[in-house]
Amino acid sequence: MNLVISTTIGWNIGDQFILSGVKNLLKKSWGDFQCVHHDRNPFKLPRGGEESHNAIRCGWADALVIAGSPGWTIECAAIYRTALDHNVPIYMIGIGAGCHSALLGEQLLHDHDTTEALNKAKLVICRDEIARDEASKYCGGIELLPCPAAMISSYAFNSFTAAQFREDLMALGPYYTGDFSERGLMAHQIEDVEKSNGRAFYSENADDYFIQYVKAKSVTSFRLHASVICRVFGVPITNLWPDDDCRCVSTWSVIDSAFRYGIRKSFDRYVELLEKVKPNINH
C-alpha cells in the first residue's frame, strides 16, 4: 500500500509524536505500507513540495492521510484539492483545534477545499471537542478519540507495562545518544532554540524526546505532547499554561480524552474504524 501522509518535518516535535502514533495505528489496521510525506512545515516553501502532489497525480498513492494536529485546514488545502481532483480517498486522523480554537469556524467557512475534503473523507477522527463541533458542520459520523500521539507505543496499553517500561529505561542511565538531562531545556519547535539563546536542546528525532520524558523523574512544560507522553507513562508533570492562552481549552480536552477513554480501548477503537475503511489498492 502506498500512502501520502501529511505532517511536519524538522519543525514541531509534537507532530513527530503524532506521526509515530498514526503510523503505528496504520500498520496495525492496514498492514505494511510505503509513504511519501506531505511536509506542511511553515518554514519550508513551497509548502508540501511537489513530490506528494505528484505521488497522487501519477496514480501511485492509494490514500491521503492527514496525521493530526491543528495544521489540517489551509495548510493542507492544496493537497486536498489534488486528492479530490484525482479521486484519492482522504483520511483525517486526530485533527484538532489548537491555536486555531477561536478562528477555526471562520477558517472553515472560507476554506472550500478543506470543507469539501471533510465532506468526502472516508474517515474523520478529532482529538478535541472544538475541532469535532466545527468539523461536524461539514461532515457526519465524526469520532472523538485521544490524540494519536498517545498511541505511540504498545507499552502504554496498561499501567503495569508502562510502569515497568519506565523503570527499565531509568535503570539504563543516560546512555541515549543526544541525552539532554543536564541541559534541562527542551525545545519542541526549532524557533524556540533561538528564544533560549541556544541553551535548549532540539532534535528532529521524536525518540530523543520520548525516551527522555519516560525516563524523567519529573517534567515541567507548556507543551501539549510533553504532557500526553508523561501522563501516559505516569511521569509527574507540571503544566504551565496561562489562563488566557487560546490553546488551553482544546489542550485540556486532548489530555482529558486520553484518560477518559483509556489508551488500550482507544487504540482498539482506532483500529476498528480504520479497518472498516481500508483503501483499495489500485496497483
Side-chain angles (χ1 to χ4, degrees):
M1 182 178 296
N2 300 328
L3 305 175
V4 172
I5 302 181
S6 182
T7 183
T8 65
I9 306 295
W11 176 51
N12 184 343
I13 204 65
D15 285 341
Q16 296 298 299
F17 283 136
I18 294 169
L19 178 63
S20 295
V22 167
K23 286 184 173 180
N24 195 23
L25 291 163
L26 292 175
K27 186 172 183 179
K28 178 69 174 178
S29 308
W30 295 352
D32 293 334
F33 59 86
Q34 301 179 79
C35 72
V36 168
H37 291 134
H38 169 261
D39 186 2
R40 54 182 187 250
N41 185 330
F43 294 100
K44 294 180 182 178
L45 295 174
R47 181 173 283 157
E50 282 301 303
E51 185 181 11
S52 56
H53 290 270
N54 289 336
I56 293 173
R57 292 178 184 130
C58 75
W60 179 87
D62 297 304
L64 168 63
V65 175
I66 308 301
S69 95
W72 59 275
T73 55
I74 191 65
E75 298 89 341
C76 292
I79 197 71
Y80 288 143
R81 187 73 267 152
T82 299
L84 290 165
D85 288 347
H86 291 81
N87 296 315
V88 171
I90 298 169
Y91 301 80
M92 302 181 184
I93 305 177
I95 59 175
C99 296
H100 301 306
S101 297
L103 303 174
L104 182 57
E106 185 176 350
Q107 274 189 337
L108 291 175
L109 187 64
H110 301 286
D111 185 355
H112 302 300
D113 291 324
T114 297
T115 54
E116 183 180 350
L118 275 170
N119 181 258
K120 295 181 178 178
K122 297 293 185 181
L123 180 65
V124 178
I125 300 175
C126 293
R127 71 180 193 182
D128 62 66
E129 287 93 342
I130 295 173
R132 179 199 60 191
D133 293 346
E134 293 297 339
S136 293
K137 297 174 183 178
Y138 306 93
C139 173
I142 293 177
E143 288 267 342
L144 177 65
L145 287 171
C147 180
M151 312 297 142
I152 193 171
S153 171
S154 59
Y155 289 106
F157 290 158
N158 66 72
S159 58
F160 171 78
T161 307
Q164 185 62 53
F165 179 61
R166 181 176 176 229
E167 184 178 319
D168 291 345
L169 282 175
M170 293 179 70
L172 292 173
Y175 74 97
Y176 199 75
T177 302
D179 177 77
F180 51 85
S181 57
E182 294 182 358
R183 305 183 191 185
L185 294 174
M186 298 165 283
H188 273 221
Q189 293 183 203
I190 195 167
E191 59 265 37
D192 292 338
V193 176
E194 183 177 347
K195 294 175 184 177
S196 71
N197 296 317
R199 292 181 298 124
F201 173 90
Y202 174 79
S203 170
E204 293 186 7
N205 185 354
D207 286 346
D208 287 336
Y209 295 81
F210 175 69
I211 297 294
Q212 294 301 326
Y213 281 140
V214 175
K215 284 170 58 179
K217 293 182 179 179
S218 66
V219 173
T220 301
S221 178
F222 64 93
R223 304 301 312 205
L224 164 61
H225 289 97
S227 185
V228 169
I229 299 302
C230 288
R231 292 196 65 181
V232 164
F233 285 91
V235 180
I237 181 166
T238 301
N239 296 301
L240 303 177
W241 291 311
D243 290 340
D244 61 349
D245 190 338
C246 65
R247 294 174 295 181
C248 282
V249 175
S250 64
T251 294
W252 280 118
S253 172
V254 171
I255 295 171
D256 177 63
S257 66
F259 302 94
R260 187 191 321 154
Y261 294 100
I263 303 303
R264 175 80 249 187
K265 181 180 177 182
S266 298
F267 185 90
D268 290 342
R269 182 58 177 161
Y270 265 114
V271 170
E272 178 186 359
L273 292 169
L274 285 164
E275 286 179 340
K276 288 180 179 179
V277 290
K278 182 176 179 179
N280 295 321
I281 300 176
N282 301 316
H283 44 80

